[in-house]
Amino acid sequence: VAEDGTFSAQVKLDLGTNTIEVSAKDWAGNVGSAKLVIERVAGQAAKIQIVAPEGPVVAGSTIDLPVLVVDAEGADTGLTDVKVDGGEAGTWAEGKLTAATKAGKYTITASYEGLETATVEIEIVAGPLAKVEAETKSVKPGTAVKLIGVDQYGNKVEGVTFAEAEDYANAFIEGDQFIATKPGTYKV
């Protein structure tokens, strides 16, 4: 409080309605208070903000991917006519990305008139194991065939453990290698 009885304070205002209440007590113990209602609106559009997902995205899944036009303080301006290009990453609409079905690393780009373009990198990974495929469909007896676990879109699933679906006297699995000692059809 200054000598003349005035004071000042800085208060961070949230977007929307803010109510500030001030109470003061004089030397005689009298208390007075006042309320002030301030409406804060977003400032001028300053940049595009893409809220990237934490971690990889499963192929074919739909995730939240907000794209905002924010003011200089990072507050959402409410502008919605942002152009978002998912490219090969998938399809973006209304704050959601439906991921492509091919695993890999992709860039999503967002633009808004007069602002610098924003980009975010996402990684699309295989979904759950859907089936096991042989790297080679037909080989001579005794030749190892590499087994590959894939998701419903054909993306390689990492960390798959292979085992015989049935007990065969003429075939066995070592790691990701299937070896049949006699011709035939085998189920893994």
Side-chain angles (χ1 to χ4, degrees):
V1 179
E3 279 185 30
D4 64 358
T6 62
F7 71 95
S8 68
Q10 288 190 351
V11 178
K12 184 177 187 296
L13 299 176
D14 295 324
L15 282 178
T17 304
N18 294 266
T19 303
I20 300 172
E21 186 171 356
V22 178
S23 296
K25 185 178 189 182
D26 66 14
W27 298 110
N30 299 311
V31 176
S33 62
K35 273 189 184 180
L36 177 63
V37 177
I38 300 173
E39 185 74 24
R40 178 175 178 236
V41 295
Q44 184 177 4
K47 76 177 204 174
I48 302 166
Q49 184 179 52
I50 303 174
V51 183
E54 291 184 24
V57 178
V58 174
S61 67
T62 299
I63 62 161
D64 289 329
L65 188 73
V67 178
L68 310 171
V69 176
V70 298
D71 65 15
E73 294 179 7
D76 185 1
T77 62
L79 298 170
T80 58
D81 52 340
V82 180
K83 290 185 173 93
V84 179
D85 181 5
E88 293 183 11
T91 305
W92 184 90
E94 314 244 344
K96 297 200 177 287
L97 174 76
T98 299
T101 57
K102 183 179 177 189
K105 291 189 179 186
Y106 300 96
T107 302
I108 296 170
T109 305
S111 60
Y112 183 80
E113 187 177 313
L115 298 181
E116 184 177 331
T117 300
T119 61
V120 67
E121 292 253 334
I122 66 164
E123 180 180 12
I124 296 177
V125 296
L129 179 68
K131 64 182 177 175
V132 175
E133 295 180 346
E135 189 173 68
T136 307
K137 300 296 180 197
S138 181
V139 295
K140 293 180 183 176
T143 304
V145 175
K146 183 174 182 172
L147 301 173
I148 303 166
V150 295
D151 69 5
Q152 65 179 340
Y153 304 111
N155 296 305
K156 183 177 178 184
V157 177
E158 299 296 329
V160 176
T161 303
F162 301 96
E164 292 94 356
E166 298 177 21
D167 190 17
Y168 296 111
N170 302 319
F172 59 95
I173 292 178
E174 287 183 2
D176 65 352
Q177 303 291 313
F178 176 80
I179 303 167
T181 57
K182 294 200 174 193
T185 300
Y186 300 92
K187 186 175 183 180
V188 178

